[in-house]
Structures are given as structure tokens and as C-alpha cells.
Amino acid sequence: MEPSSATPVVQTTVRDHIALVTLCNQPVNALSTAVRQGLQAAMTQVTADPEVHAVVIVGSGRHFIGGADIREFGLPRQPPSLPEVCQQIESSDKLVIAAIQGSALGGGLELALSAHYRVATESARLGLPEVALGLLPGAGGTQRTPRLIGTEVALDLMLSGRHVGAREALRMGLIDHVTTDEDIVAEGLACARSLLADSTPVRRTSEMTEALADRSAQQTAIDAARVAVQKKRGLFSPARIVDAVQAALDLPFAQGMVLEQALFDQCVASPQCASLVHAFFAEREVLKAPETQAAQARPLRQIGVIGGGTMGAGIAVSLLDAGLRVTMIERDDAALALGQSRVAQVYDGLIRKGRLSDEGKADILARFKGATTYDALGDADLVIEAVFEDMAVKKAVFAELDRVCQPGAVLATNTSYLDINEIARSTSRPQDVVGLHFFSPAHLMKLLEIVVPAQVNADVVATGFALARQLKKVPVRAGVCDGFIGNRILAVYRTAADHMVEDGASPYEIDQMVRQFGFPMGPYEMSDLAGGDIGWATRKRRAATRDPKARYVHIADALCERGWFGQKTGRGWYRYEAGSRTGQPDPEVLVIVDQARAQAGITPRSFTPQELERRYLAAMVNEGAKVVAEGIALRPLDVDVTLLYGYGFPRHKGGPMKHADLVGLPQILADIQAFAKQDPLFWQPAPLLVQLVQEGKDFDSLNRRKSHA
Ligand code: T1G
């Protein structure tokens, strides 16, 4: 990230007695060791220079400062520390102005708070998002922010991690002036000149007392925050943020800084920080697929969607929300009207919530049209097929697309498991066929699997990634196999859960364990939400190719044979009162479970929550390793991002592969080898896992190797 040695990362120029200190560490001017050393040297130079009457600190490029350099976390600390640099800036006897454009986040905002005045452009974004990395503001943010804006707003910023716009920051008192002119250097210098002209004194945030004057109000806000963080189950840093802000109210600044540092060090050492930092970089690394490095995306303006069912309608909304023009194709007028009403209902819902106006809805739907003939797609740049999951039906659709679409149009299928190579081969342009696997509800779920068949052109894959960025989705490149990355791994850990149920565990204690681990819901609650009939259809489809020696649990089928599909039928694994989405454990289900055990000749046994967790995660990790080894996923981090954004894996655990690294691969392998004693067919250790353990390596070693290849 550091520019070549030629261009210093901090540059100082003096104009009319004003020193302009510019950070030049693209792309986000992260406060790396070199930048901190450069700032320290610059401040020493300008405060000693009698010609300098004021200092303006500015970032070059799109951003002021994106924070401390996250890539340096975990590395030995190099002086000066960021708190020291901030202290040097604040204690300057010459006015220091922070001139902010783009992002001022984390350590970047803390540095600005140590300056005496802050000016920002209209489009600037400010925030203390350290909590999203399992941290707290560790360069004075927990001590200076409350002194400037009070504990309530300061805690909101630090506990939410949200980025606020310049106008809101001005209302909060975080900054002093918003410029409409985006030339931040000129605005910063102008601000310095006017402050000098008014003989404005330096103003040190650490010495401010006004915002904390009403102690009981400040304490009330802290107490409320302490209650709120108790709800953030399992998260490490939020409570420590509250402790640090309590110190800002109770202790002198210097003592508060000592406590802040101690709490910061605790957070850095927590596995949650490692997991959240991993997630931060992983969701950026997934964008770097070979095809996106090698090819330019094709332009996307006019998009076709085949099918107005739940997925087709959700995909259409996602495209419309991104400002694209959409044509929905359905087999007849009735089906088309249903598809169009599904789309309209989403916007009606937003209007009811006051998040969209009737005019807004009309503007959006003005870009949405429907047809019952494929000829309407002659000018489409991309067509996404979302029809019934049947190969013959898919091929018929692609034959029509092959007939009507213009050369260079991208033909995509939203299938969640069918062989995309076979679909591509059925057209005259397999090089233009790709898989775009959305997750339901498609306009809300962030994950988009970009499935890469054998004959596809790189620019078609790159177009899929570009579409994902336009739709604000997180794309993951996946190879072609049954279930791609996500559903393939889901099938395995769900099977592990079913085995545990048949062996004696209750489906309800498994769901509880999974929620305890941090997922929003367990596999049986998830099945009831999605509909048990979907899994049932998958099991029936796979019956033909299932290994006859493989263990098969019939419990889920028994529920489906009774029509107990879940929320949509009022009962599944749970019972649902009319209108309720909260299920109650169902004793009749446990009777069916006992009958299945008896039929299988199994004497049930008890499981500790720990064993349930180890088996559930081991199944996920083991299949994840196979998916990576087969190249279905490029790297372990692609598996992590898939599970984080598509399957509710708790972000503060980093994803299954990161979790496995933190637990230790030898432990995971030992567990699998122990489980294999009872079921060697299901628990075959992934050769990649065995190899990494033998080599004393972890999954992250593969992330690093492949990312730098
Ligand atoms: N450190 C290192 N690398 C960073 C970085 C950072 N703080 N921020 C971004 N990058 C890299 C990123 O990985 C990517 O790399 C490239 O820059 C562009 O990022 C003491 C300890 C600023 C809003 O949490 O939210 O300060 O993939 O694609 O969409 O209290 O980056 O190109 O190789 O996201 O324009 C607190 C993190 C740190 C903000 C820009 N700061 N960054 O978004 O670009 S902790 C944050 C962002 C801290 C102190 C504590 C966003 C952005 P590559 P990008 P973008």
C-alpha cells in the first residue's frame, strides 16, 4: 500500500504562512507507520518554523483518512503511536485545521478531533467504525469525542459504527464548517486565513468540559448504552467502548487515555477482532477474481428477467433499485400480471413504511415493462432466467434467448444447482452463458454467486461482478457443481444435524446451539422459514445418485409426507399460531423422531452443546475444504464470504474457514477423525485439511498465496 520510496507519504508545503500537510498514501491515506512518522516529522518542522502561523492537514485523493492501517494489526507496533501523533497535533500552539473530503473514519476522525478546527466538504463521511472490526477508537476517540459532543451522541457513533454525512456531523458539533466547494485544499487554506485574521486561539478538544457539564444526563446516556450493549450477544468490544466513555466522564483526560489503551489492547487480542478484520478484507478480496483482473465488463443498461415468480420478481426489484431498465417475460398475461404485482408490492411496502413516495414508485416502475414474447428482449444487454428448476424448461428458455438476443448479450441463469455447462452447451453461444445465483429474497440478500461454466468468456464473468457492484451485492466466484459453494456446504452440515437428531439430539437443542453460536436461526427454524418442501424436492432429486451405503435420515421426509412444510403450512419442525412467525417446539415431531430412531435401530444418546457445535462446524469446514480443493471456491475466504452473506454465519466469527483457523485445524481434523469411527463414509476428512495439518499451515495461508498469485 506504501507508494515507492520516491514519493513521501506526508508532504508539507508552506503558502502565506500556512503549512499544508498532505497525506499521500493511496487509496485511503491509512495511518500506516510511515504516515505516522511523516506526520510527526511534519508537525515538528512546522511548529518550529517561525514563518508558519497555522497548519492545514489534508488527505490527497478521494479520502481524508480511512483510519489506522488495518493491515498493520497484529504486527509489532512501530513508533510513534497514533495517540502520540494526535497528542502532538493537539498540543501545537499554532492553529491546526483538519480539512476533510471523502472519508474521515476511525483513527482518521480521531486525528481530526485532535486538530483545533475541522472543515469538511458537503459529501464527506465521518465515523468511528472500529466496533465493526471488534475494536474501539484507540487514539483518543473515546476520550475526545464525548468532550466535544457529549456521551449520548458519541456512544451512538461508536456503538453503531455508522458513517454520518457532513451536515449531520456539523449538527452534532463534530465539525465546525461544511463547504459546498469540493476543493478541500482551497477551503482548508481559506478557513485557516480567516481564523488567523480573527486571531482565533487554539482550541484543544481534550480540555473541553461543556458537553459533559450535565453529569447526570451524561451518566444516564452511559447507563442506557450499557443496557443496550447487553443485547449485543457475544460481542466483545461494545461493552469496552462504554467502559472507556465512562472514563471520559469520570477521569482526567490523561488517565482516560491510559484506560482507553488498555481496553483497546484487550480488543485487538480478541479472536473477534481477527475474525472481523478477516471479514473486512475477505469481502474485498472476493472481488479480485481472475476474470475481473483480466477483462472489462460489458455495458449494462437494458436487462431482461425471465419469470415473475418469487425469485424473478426479487431480481427485477434489485435491478430496478440499481437504476436499470428491466423487461420481465412471462408465459402469459395472467402470469405476467402476477409477476408485476409482486414487484409493485415491494414498493407499496416501502410507501407504507414512509421510505418511498408514490412519485418515487412511479419513477421506478417507469423503467419496468413486461411482455409475453421473447422478441421484447432484442435490445437486452443481459438476460437473467429465473424459471422453474427443470433442465428441459431451462433449455427451452435459452433456445429462445439464443434466437432473439443481440450478439454480445450476456445470458444468465439463476439456477441454484442445475448443470450450467449443459445449459450453455445447448446454445450457439456458450461463451456468453454464466450463472448468477441470487438468494431469496433477491432484493434483500447481499450474496450473489457468480457461477463460471467451462466455456464462458472472461468479460462475461467480469460483467457479473460489475452487476453485483451496481446492485450493491457481494459477489463470490463459484465453479459448477451441485449446489455451487453455499448450497453444497449447507447440504452437508444440515445432514450432520439430521444425523445428530436421529442419534438422540433434539432438533430444538440444535437450533438453540446454532443461535448461541451467533446465527440468526438454526437449521430447523431455517427449514420452516424457507419451506420444508424445497429440501424435500432436493432430496428426491438426489435420491438417484445418492450412495446406497450412505446413511439417510427419514425424519424430514416424514414431516413433509404429512404436509408439514413449516411457516407456510402452520407447522413443520415447529408449530406456528395463526399469523405468528415464532415457532413452538412440537411434541408430535419428537414422537416422529423417536419412531425414526426405533426404525433405524438407534438407541438415542445425549449430546452436550459443545459436541453439537463441533460436529455442525466440522461438517461445514470439511466440505468447505473439499470445495476449495476442487476449485469450486477460489480460496477459503470465498467460502467464508459465502456463508457470511448467504447463510447467516456470524460475522464476529469470520466464517467457517476462519473459525477453523482460530480453533486450530489439528483440533478440527481430530474431531472429524473421531466422528469417522462411527460413520467413516460421511466423515471422510478432506485431503486438503489433512495436508494443511501435516504442513502445519492454516486456511489463511491459502488466502494469502492465492490473493498474491
Ligand atoms: N487500512 C488498510 N487498508 C484499508 C483501510 C484501512 N483502514 N481502509 C481501506 N483499505 C483498503 C481496502 O482493503 C482496499 O484494498 C482499498 O483500501 C480500498 O478500500 C486507532 C484502530 C474508507 C470507506 O474501519 O470503510 O482506525 O482491496 O474498496 O469503497 O481507532 O475502505 O484495493 O487492496 O473499501 O472507496 C477504522 C475502513 C480502522 C474504515 C473507502 N477504519 N475502510 O471505501 O474503498 S481501525 C475503518 C472503509 C482504527 C483507531 C482504529 C472503506 C472506505 P484493496 P475500499 P471504498
Side-chain angles (χ1 to χ4, degrees), residues 424-437:
R425 283 195 302 271
S426 74
T427 72
S428 66
R429 50 176 110 181
Q431 73 282 359
D432 295 329
V433 175
V434 70
L436 293 180
H437 181 216

Side-chain angles (χ1 to χ4, degrees), residues 27-28 62-63 66 68-70 107 110 130 137-138 280-281 284 288:
V28 299
R62 291 175 46 223
H63 300 289
D69 190 334
I70 305 170
E110 291 173 288
E130 284 85 348
F280 174 86
F281 285 120
R284 286 162 175 77
K288 301 168 189 167

Side-chain angles (χ1 to χ4, degrees), residues 445-502:
M445 290 296 286
K446 296 272 284 179
L447 181 66
L448 179 61
E449 282 183 319
I450 313 267
V451 189
V452 180
Q455 297 171 275
V456 70
N457 279 355
D459 67 342
V460 169
V461 177
T463 305
F465 276 82
L467 177 74
R469 181 180 277 273
Q470 228 172 325
L471 303 185
K472 296 191 173 48
K473 302 252 184 232
V474 177
V476 176
R477 183 192 187 282
V480 174
C481 70
D482 193 334
F484 315 134
I485 298 175
N487 285 348
R488 172 173 163 178
I489 296 173
L490 168 66
V492 174
Y493 63 84
R494 174 58 201 272
T495 301
D498 289 346
H499 288 178
M500 292 191 276
V501 170
E502 196 175 51

Side-chain angles (χ1 to χ4, degrees), residues 1 27-28 30 62-63 66-71 73 82 103 105-108 110 129-130 133 135-139 163 264 280-281 284-285 288:
M1 196 150 163
V28 299
R62 291 175 46 223
H63 300 289
D69 190 334
I70 305 170
R71 292 191 191 283
F73 290 177
L82 190 52
S103 301
L105 300 173
E110 291 173 288
E130 284 85 348
L133 296 169
L135 294 169
L136 52 81
H163 302 179
F264 181 82
F280 174 86
F281 285 120
R284 286 162 175 77
E285 286 301 310
K288 301 168 189 167

Side-chain angles (χ1 to χ4, degrees), residues 61 64 90 102 109 118 125 140 148 187 236 282 297 334 453 475 555 591 605 613 616-617 626 629 631 668 671 705:
F64 175 67
E90 186 181 68
L109 179 53
R118 287 156 289 282
R125 307 284 299 169
L148 187 64
E187 289 296 325
F236 188 82
I555 300 168
V591 170
R605 69 173 180 90
E613 179 185 310
Y616 196 76
L617 272 292
K626 293 176 182 174
I668 301 278
D671 282 352
R705 192 180 58 185

